[in-house]
Amino acid sequence: VFLLCLIAGCSITWFNTVCFVLCIRNFSSDRALALSLTISFNGVIANAINPKDDTLYLFLNALVPLLASCLALIPFIRQRPLQLSTYTTNQDPFIFVVLNVLAVITGLYLLLLNSLSSEALRARTLLLGALILLFLPLCLPGIVCDRNWGFRTNSSLVDLSDPELHTELIEKDQSNSLNIEPFSAINKEGLFEKVMEKGRLTMLGEEHPARLLVCRWDFWLYYVAYFCGGTIGLVYSNNLGQITQSLGYNSKISAVVTLYSSFSFFGRLFSAAPDFLHGKVNFARTGWLAVALVPTPIAFFLLAVSGSEVVLHASTAMIGLSSGFVFSAAVSITSELFGPNSAGINHNILITNIPIGSLLYGLLAALVYDSNVTSSVDKNVLQEAIVCMGRDCYMQTFIFWGCISLLGLISSFLLFLRTRPAYDDHETNRNRT
């Protein structure tokens, strides 16, 4: 099992990195929308085939990605780089709107599918509808290429929303002394203002090699926000079965896990909200990150206060929504803050916090759990394993996790304050173009 988990961990990390790099390079103007769709689809439909066979889920996880990758490889091999570049510079946001709508419908359908798939015949009937929804986006490229109904893009071959272009524009404006006065040049007083100005990013899209990346205060604020925000939600999901069992809802484990997965799915889709709302709500993506981290500490403190089923479901949904948003938005933030060409390496440096956080947070939960097992009078023996029952099994853990996630929220807010001028300058130059 250890060897299989090791291989799977290395495989998914490689797979994700390749997908991130492909999205960033081939969808420069709509990279956030493409990334949110790429990361979102992680629904479970194995239950619809055979609700009583848990091993089928592992089998599909081994087989389906391999087959899907082989099918996706064919158009990439046959398509010329020049054609790909020409097409991607004229990407129509309408396509991504349709894809996101289909993704939301698919997510709601899969959530309904899991709740109604208790009978084999009904489950397989619903599975047919799920497969149609999953394969429907594959028809869009043909529809877009052959459309003659007048919905055509008028954009030029220059991507006006690319941070690299705006970096060049800013440099030209600086040489002509026409740009807005930099934030760091404004006279400010006070220790807080000096700390906020020191070494901050002045423009988006500037390439950061690894050596420069680790010297940036903005990167470490970003690292702490991810480490204490998104990663802790992942550790919560890993302990979700045991948490549900200790609270006395052993029969609800499957429903709670499905709830987390579903809201994580929608959180990943919602990470594209800044791009859909662009022009109406101009808000830095780092600000959206800070907003997305707000539900996590609230959820953990609610779990520490109450162990009711309603609180468990509500808190799980909040943590799933928050962590899903962070996982998806982080790739776009990395490419915007530290350069799209270096995003593959830089994002892998960032997500080193996942194994570290999983070890530390998981060890903390295990120590608290074991201490309550040995000290609790009410302990049950289940399949030769001592199981801790009651709110005390995880109450201290929830308090610790809530404080840690609060630190991540503060770090994300500081990152937003430091990077907001760069986003404002980017938006100013974008409107100017």
Side-chain angles (χ1 to χ4, degrees):
V1 171
F2 176 80
L3 180 61
L4 292 177
C5 289
L6 178 64
I7 295 174
C10 294
S11 175
I12 193 63
T13 302
W14 176 272
F15 188 86
N16 286 341
T17 302
V18 172
C19 290
F20 298 159
V21 172
L22 285 174
C23 285
I24 291 171
R25 289 181 178 178
N26 297 326
F27 302 97
S28 57
S29 61
D30 300 304
R31 64 171 66 111
L33 301 176
L35 286 168
S36 67
L37 288 170
T38 302
I39 301 172
S40 296
F41 282 97
N42 60 346
V44 177
I45 60 172
N47 190 43
I49 302 174
N50 190 347
K52 299 180 180 180
D53 190 1
D54 294 332
T55 60
L56 187 60
Y57 172 64
L58 295 176
F59 178 73
L60 288 177
N61 267 277
L63 187 62
V64 173
L66 177 62
L67 296 177
S69 300
C70 293
L71 292 175
L73 188 62
I74 298 174
F76 276 105
I77 292 177
R78 297 188 61 182
Q79 192 154 12
R80 297 178 182 178
L82 181 60
Q83 293 176 348
L84 181 63
S85 177
T86 303
Y87 177 72
T88 54
T89 53
N90 290 279
Q91 281 298 313
D92 194 342
F94 176 76
I95 303 174
F96 287 100
V97 172
V98 175
L99 287 173
N100 275 270
V101 171
L102 287 175
V104 172
I105 295 174
T106 305
L108 292 173
Y109 187 89
L110 291 175
L111 182 61
L112 177 67
L113 177 67
N114 189 81
S115 61
L116 297 179
S117 58
S118 57
E119 298 179 4
L121 180 60
R122 181 191 298 176
R124 289 167 187 171
T125 303
L126 293 173
L127 175 63
L128 180 62
L131 292 176
I132 293 174
L133 287 173
L134 289 173
F135 281 104
L136 190 58
L138 297 178
C139 302
L140 273 180
I143 297 174
V144 171
C145 292
D146 297 333
R147 58 184 176 172
N148 295 316
W149 37 275
F151 197 93
R152 294 182 180 273
T153 179
N154 294 319
S155 61
S156 64
L157 294 179
V158 180
D159 179 13
L160 298 180
S161 62
D162 192 351
E164 292 181 350
L165 172 63
H166 293 289
T167 300
E168 297 176 2
L169 290 174
I170 292 174
E171 291 174 350
K172 290 180 180 179
D173 286 346
Q174 286 177 343
S175 63
N176 295 327
S177 300
L178 295 176
N179 63 317
I180 301 174
E181 184 181 7
F183 183 78
S184 58
I186 300 176
N187 293 325
K188 290 183 178 290
E189 297 180 357
L191 179 62
F192 179 76
E193 287 78 7
K194 292 180 179 179
V195 171
M196 293 304 298
E197 292 180 19
K198 184 178 180 181
R200 66 171 187 83
L201 292 168
T202 56
M203 65 181 69
L204 299 182
E206 183 181 2
E207 295 297 333
H208 285 68
R211 183 179 300 179
L212 178 60
L213 180 76
V214 297
C215 297
R216 283 284 190 184
W217 281 102
D218 296 296
F219 169 74
W220 291 110
L221 286 174
Y222 183 32
Y223 192 93
V224 172
Y226 199 115
F227 180 71
C228 299
T231 300
I232 206 167
L234 177 63
V235 178
Y236 174 79
S237 68
N238 292 338
N239 288 267
L240 194 52
Q242 199 171 48
I243 291 172
T244 306
Q245 182 188 61
S246 66
L247 293 176
Y249 308 114
N250 196 43
S251 61
K252 303 290 185 180
I253 292 179
S254 178
V256 175
V257 172
T258 300
L259 184 67
Y260 177 89
S261 299
S262 301
F263 275 85
S264 177
F265 172 85
F266 292 119
R268 295 165 195 251
L269 283 179
F270 291 160
S271 66
D275 299 271
F276 286 121
L277 297 177
H278 188 267
K280 299 178 181 179
V281 179
N282 294 326
F283 195 49
R285 202 180 298 274
T286 50
W288 286 97
L289 176 68
V291 172
L293 289 176
V294 171
T296 302
I298 297 175
F300 282 129
F301 290 135
L302 284 175
L303 286 169
V305 172
S306 174
S308 66
E309 185 176 352
V310 175
V311 170
L312 176 63
H313 282 80
S315 299
T316 300
M318 292 167 65
I319 296 172
L321 192 69
S322 178
S323 59
F325 190 101
V326 173
F327 294 150
S328 183
V331 187
S332 299
I333 294 175
T334 302
S335 63
E336 288 178 351
L337 295 184
F338 309 112
N341 295 332
S342 306
I345 297 175
N346 292 343
H347 192 70
N348 276 294
I349 295 175
L350 171 71
I351 61 176
T352 55
N353 69 80
I354 294 180
I356 298 173
S358 299
L359 175 63
L360 295 179
Y361 301 148
L363 180 61
L364 173 64
L367 292 175
V368 174
Y369 186 90
D370 290 344
S371 65
N372 282 282
V373 166
T374 56
S375 62
S376 176
V377 178
D378 183 18
K379 57 184 180 181
N380 298 334
V381 178
L382 181 63
Q383 296 179 351
E384 300 180 356
I386 300 178
V387 178
C388 179
M389 300 297 295
R391 288 182 51 238
D392 292 338
C393 303
Y394 277 94
M395 185 176 67
Q396 287 180 293
T397 301
F398 291 147
I399 295 174
F400 289 141
W401 284 355
C403 294
I404 293 171
S405 59
L406 190 61
L407 175 62
L409 175 60
I410 295 173
S411 180
S412 66
F413 181 70
L414 294 176
L415 176 67
F416 164 63
L417 293 180
R418 285 175 59 90
T419 57
R420 182 174 58 179
Y423 276 95
D424 290 342
D425 288 345
H426 170 76
E427 189 62 31
T428 300
N429 283 277
R430 181 174 182 172
N431 293 333
R432 189 181 303 170
T433 57

